[in-house]
Amino acid sequence: MKYKYTTEGGHNGSGTLSDAQSPSPIYNLGSSGGNGSIADQNSVVNMHVEWDGGTEEMELMPVNPRK
């Protein structure tokens, strides 16, 4: 799986995740070996993902901060 992202704050990054078999469908991009910086927690993140010949674009919205 390949991914690219951009944020409102101008941060961006990209990387590739292996086909490792995992019981969880959740991937942690922070340890994937990609490049780029971490977005501010209140930033909208625009994500482009490619896998098995398919692609998807998505906009990730921040959650309300915990009080």
Side-chain angles (χ1 to χ4, degrees):
M1 180 175 91
K2 295 179 183 180
Y3 66 90
K4 293 188 285 187
Y5 66 88
T6 59
T7 70
E8 292 176 325
H11 296 95
N12 59 54
S14 63
T16 302
L17 298 173
S18 70
D19 291 337
Q21 301 245 348
S22 171
S24 173
I26 298 171
Y27 289 94
N28 179 349
L29 300 182
S31 62
S32 67
N35 62 40
S37 58
I38 296 177
D40 180 274
Q41 68 181 10
N42 294 318
S43 180
V44 173
V45 177
N46 294 300
M47 200 82 188
H48 173 86
V49 182
E50 299 178 14
W51 73 100
D52 289 334
T55 64
E56 187 166 350
E57 302 280 339
M58 61 195 89
E59 183 175 79
L60 308 175
M61 305 296 292
V63 295
N64 293 330
R66 295 181 187 170
K67 294 183 179 189

